[in-house]
Amino acid sequence: MSEPSAVSAGGSMPGSSSEPRLVAAPLVRRMAAFMYEGVLLFGVVFATSLVFGITMHQDSGMKLRTPLMAVNFLVVGLYFIGLWVRSGQTLAMKTWHLRLLTDRGVPLSPRRALARYLASYVWFLPPLLLAGALKLPSPTAIGGLVVGWVVLYALSARLHPRRQFWHDALCDTAIVDARPLAPLPQ
């Protein structure tokens, strides 16, 4: 990736151990894509659950709940991993002109995409585990806890030197600006 805005300053020589690393796209655009991704995933999970329910003769929301959650986990994983490996972009990322690459600017391998998919559950698992430990009684309280955590986690990217989300830093990945560069005036 040769976009000057996506690479940190440093002026180091290619091949050296201190090659420039990608800087994250603006937080507002990444969060807009995050929200849009949630809308799109609602459809994916709904369709998966409908097919599962019909196929497995599920006549209650509690019947076969764990297998349904496992199937949804796998389908959502295939959605993200497949698109990240193939093009580096989900539909939401294309809409907001974002691309997922390694922090050195190369496409993700299936193994790295899987690691990032698993690590990205940090968006939801901590508040859900806390809600279970506190035995929160209402969906509103649980939702508030999740929303509060998502906001804090997103803002914590401002503490990272390259403005990456912490799960991206852990997986050596970066969500970068994918807008084409304007041609230079002649």
Side-chain angles (χ1 to χ4, degrees), residues 155-166:
L155 291 175
S156 76
R158 294 183 163 283
L159 301 174
H160 189 275
R162 293 179 291 115
R163 304 291 192 238
Q164 297 298 340
F165 293 128
W166 294 97

Side-chain angles (χ1 to χ4, degrees), residues 45-124:
V45 169
F46 178 82
T48 301
S49 299
L50 180 64
V51 170
F52 180 88
I54 292 170
T55 305
M56 302 303 290
H57 306 288
Q58 187 180 23
D59 55 9
S60 162
M62 297 308 286
K63 180 180 174 188
L64 301 173
R65 190 172 85 164
T66 301
L68 174 59
M69 290 189 325
V71 167
N72 276 318
F73 177 79
L74 290 172
V75 168
V76 169
L78 289 172
Y79 167 80
F80 281 116
I81 294 166
L83 291 173
W84 289 339
V85 168
R86 191 177 99 215
S87 65
Q89 294 177 297
T90 62
L91 181 57
M93 293 170 83
K94 284 180 186 178
T95 301
W96 287 95
H97 303 288
L98 300 170
R99 183 176 311 279
L100 180 65
L101 300 167
T102 68
D103 64 359
R104 302 290 184 193
V106 297
L108 271 63
S109 67
R111 178 177 281 166
R112 188 176 306 240
L114 173 62
R116 186 179 189 274
Y117 173 66
L118 295 174
S120 69
Y121 274 86
V122 73
W123 283 102
F124 302 105

Side-chain angles (χ1 to χ4, degrees), residues 1 8 28 38 60 79 94 101-102 125 131 136 148-149 167 176:
M1 173 138 245
S8 65
V28 171
S60 162
Y79 167 80
K94 284 180 186 178
L101 300 167
T102 68
L125 280 182
L136 292 181
W149 171 259
H167 65 281
V176 297

Side-chain angles (χ1 to χ4, degrees), residues 1-53:
M1 173 138 245
S2 61
E3 296 180 26
S5 63
V7 178
S8 65
S12 58
M13 299 296 294
S16 71
S17 62
S18 62
E19 286 182 10
R21 296 167 74 154
L22 298 178
V23 175
L27 182 60
V28 171
R29 287 201 12 242
R30 288 184 289 157
M31 291 311 296
F34 177 89
M35 297 294 290
Y36 185 33
E37 202 73 71
V39 171
L40 297 173
L41 285 177
F42 178 82
V44 170
V45 169
F46 178 82
T48 301
S49 299
L50 180 64
V51 170
F52 180 88

